[in-house]
Amino acid sequence: MDQTTPIVLVPGLASSARIYAPVIPALWRFGPVTVANHIRDDSMAAIARRILAEAPPRFALAGHSMGGYIAFEIKRQASERVTKLALINTQARPDTPEATARRRAQMERARRGELRAVREESFPELVHPSRRDDAEILRLVHAQDEDVGVEGYLRQQTAIIARADSRPLLATITCPTLVLTGDTDNTIPNAFSKEMAEGIAGARLVILDRCGHLPQAEQPEATVRALTEWLAS
């Protein structure tokens, strides 16, 4: 009898399937893997609806950063379809006024053709301090910028700004849940991961050493280990 579990992976802001490339081969043995396309709509509700329309009837769900915000919305719309949940370098809180102002400034620059510059300037905050000169990861970031494009980026930022507060949802999550973060995430501090893990009954919190906001690229082996243990649980 087939015991495999379909897996849906949701990337983050200005991120594409490339971010999951280091981990997909290891996940594939647990079941068919889909990387969701999350650049076509400008609200969390619409993004989640489209992903659900394209997803298997039941699946394990992992969301990285913005992908975690989308995962929460998927849980709101169709909780019964999610068999396992992984929240990677994300948070349950809504945008702060300061974050929204920063996003709107970045969006304006993107409209002026400065998306690459915006992303390059933010790179030191995306990775562990030891990787701020990592040309390979920076190339990955820029390749994903091209995958998403300016219009996709603007839609994503619009959705992020208007996202709901997902903290009330935490207590309702009962499926096996992994909360994964880095010890030096300067984009979404791991205090927010701890908050999620404490709010979800039975959640497992994993904090990766020497890791910033991009664990798949920064610590692929440790990320694979955490995700495969989650899928095997």
Side-chain angles (χ1 to χ4, degrees):
M1 184 175 177
D2 184 5
Q3 297 295 320
T4 59
T5 300
I7 303 155
V8 175
L9 308 175
V10 189
L13 171 66
S15 187
S16 70
R18 296 176 195 266
I19 193 64
Y20 285 108
V23 305
I24 286 175
L27 305 187
W28 177 81
R29 66 187 174 90
F30 291 92
V33 179
T34 300
V35 181
N37 182 326
H38 63 330
I39 68 172
R40 297 168 290 178
D41 301 285
D42 64 0
S43 75
M44 290 296 166
I47 294 169
R49 279 196 300 270
R50 198 191 292 259
I51 290 174
L52 283 164
E54 297 171 350
R58 286 171 60 79
F59 52 92
L61 175 64
H64 174 224
S65 193
M66 177 191 180
Y69 312 154
I70 296 167
F72 283 130
E73 182 59 32
I74 288 172
K75 287 288 290 179
R76 283 190 191 89
Q77 293 187 19
S79 182
E80 72 285 353
R81 292 178 59 183
V82 179
T83 60
K84 299 176 187 284
L85 177 66
L87 300 166
I88 305 170
N89 293 75
T90 190
Q91 62 179 322
R93 294 178 174 233
D95 233 28
T96 64
E98 295 78 13
T100 294
R102 184 169 61 252
R103 292 186 196 284
R104 294 196 186 283
Q106 291 170 336
M107 292 168 71
E108 184 55 36
R109 291 185 64 191
R111 291 187 185 97
R112 298 199 303 262
E114 299 178 34
L115 177 57
R116 184 182 179 91
V118 167
R119 299 286 287 157
E120 190 149 342
E121 289 167 16
S122 68
F123 183 73
E125 299 301 311
L126 283 176
V127 294
H128 187 272
S130 65
R131 296 185 181 85
R132 287 176 178 171
D133 295 321
D134 191 316
E136 183 176 352
I137 298 180
L138 180 58
R139 281 195 295 272
L140 169 65
V141 168
H142 285 321
Q144 293 184 113
D145 296 341
E146 294 178 5
D147 292 339
V148 172
V150 171
E151 293 304 317
Y153 174 80
L154 295 175
R155 285 190 288 269
Q156 289 182 328
Q157 288 281 40
T158 299
I160 290 172
I161 288 169
R163 73 183 187 276
D165 186 344
S166 292
R167 285 174 291 181
L169 185 68
L170 298 178
T172 71
I173 297 173
T174 58
C175 63
T177 300
L178 168 68
V179 180
L180 179 66
T181 185
D183 63 348
T184 316
D185 187 341
N186 292 314
T187 300
I188 301 179
N190 61 35
F192 298 140
S193 290
K194 295 173 184 175
E195 177 181 64
M196 292 188 298
E198 290 169 359
I200 300 171
R204 180 183 177 219
L205 174 66
V206 176
I207 301 176
L208 304 182
D209 293 335
R210 294 177 59 79
C211 187
H213 192 62
L214 306 176
Q216 305 95 320
E218 296 182 65
Q219 294 288 2
E221 292 181 4
T223 302
V224 163
R225 186 160 54 248
L227 289 173
T228 54
E229 289 175 1
W230 161 68
L231 287 169
S233 64

